[in-house]
Amino acid sequence: MPNLKPYTDQASDAIARLTGMRTLRCPAPGCTLRIRYRAVSPDEADRLAALAHDHTRHGIRK
Ligand SMILES: [Zn+2]
């Protein structure tokens, strides 16, 4: 049995893919923001993607 504990994060991403869940990550260096969603409308998905990719909208306080 392989030890899966170090790969919890990757495993949760794999599970997210299997369940149809999407994960958005902020491209800003050092920013760990993630937004996960599932079964939203295309418009809502666009809004969430815009929010995740615009670091100024969630990275103001530091
Ligand atoms: Zn960010």
Side-chain angles (χ1 to χ4, degrees), residues 25-28 30-33 51-56 58-59:
R25 289 189 176 91
C26 176
C31 184
T32 57
L33 177 100
L51 176 63
H53 292 160
D54 187 352
H55 188 64
T56 62
H58 61 260

